[in-house]
Amino acid sequence: QVLLVESGGGLVQAGGSLRLSCELSGRTFSNYDMGWFRQVPGKQRELVATITSSGSTNYADSVKGRFTISRDSAVNTVYLQMNSLKPDDTAHYHCAARYRYLSNSEYGYWGQGTQVTVSS
C-alpha cells in the first residue's frame, strides 16, 4: 500500500521558515506526481504546490515566491520549503500523491498531515 508520512511542521514566528517533508513508501516514487495541500477549519482545502515526476512545479498564487516544492528520488521524499511565513499560512498541511499513468486521476493518496502555526 501507499504510505505518505509528513514531518516538519511546528510553531514559527511570522517571517520565519519551515521545511516540510513527506516520504512515500510502498510504491515507485517516480510513478507519482506529488502535491502539498493545506486546510483550515471552516475553509475548503487549498492546493499549495505540486510537482510532477519530471520536476514541473505549480504554486498557488498566495505562496508564489515564498514556497518551493522539490523532490528527492534518492529518499522518495517531497519537500515544501516555506519562507517568509505569514499568519495566514497557518493550516494543517497534507502531502498527496497521484498516479501519473491514470487518465482523470486525482490526488488519491494522502498523508496524515502536519500542523503549521505561524504567530504574529
Side-chain angles (χ1 to χ4, degrees), residues 3 7 13 15 28 30 37 39 71-72 88-89 99 105 109:
L3 179 64
S7 61
Q13 189 175 5
T28 301
S30 61
F37 299 77
Q39 189 160 26
R71 60 194 292 161
D72 186 347
D88 286 348
D89 295 320
Y99 188 60
S105 64
Y109 302 98

Side-chain angles (χ1 to χ4, degrees), residues 47-110:
L47 188 152
V48 177
T50 60
I51 183 168
T52 68
S53 62
S54 61
S56 298
T57 59
N58 186 56
Y59 298 91
D61 289 341
S62 60
V63 306
K64 286 181 179 178
R66 300 188 298 118
F67 291 10
T68 302
I69 189 171
S70 61
R71 60 194 292 161
D72 186 347
S73 60
V75 291
N76 288 5
T77 299
V78 62
Y79 303 98
L80 186 67
Q81 179 66 47
M82 305 184 293
N83 298 326
S84 301
L85 283 162
K86 305 174 181 179
D88 286 348
D89 295 320
T90 295
H92 199 66
Y93 284 72
H94 296 263
C95 70
R98 178 176 66 188
Y99 188 60
R100 67 176 187 150
Y101 299 110
L102 293 178
S103 61
N104 301 316
S105 64
E106 300 178 346
Y107 284 91
Y109 302 98
W110 294 87

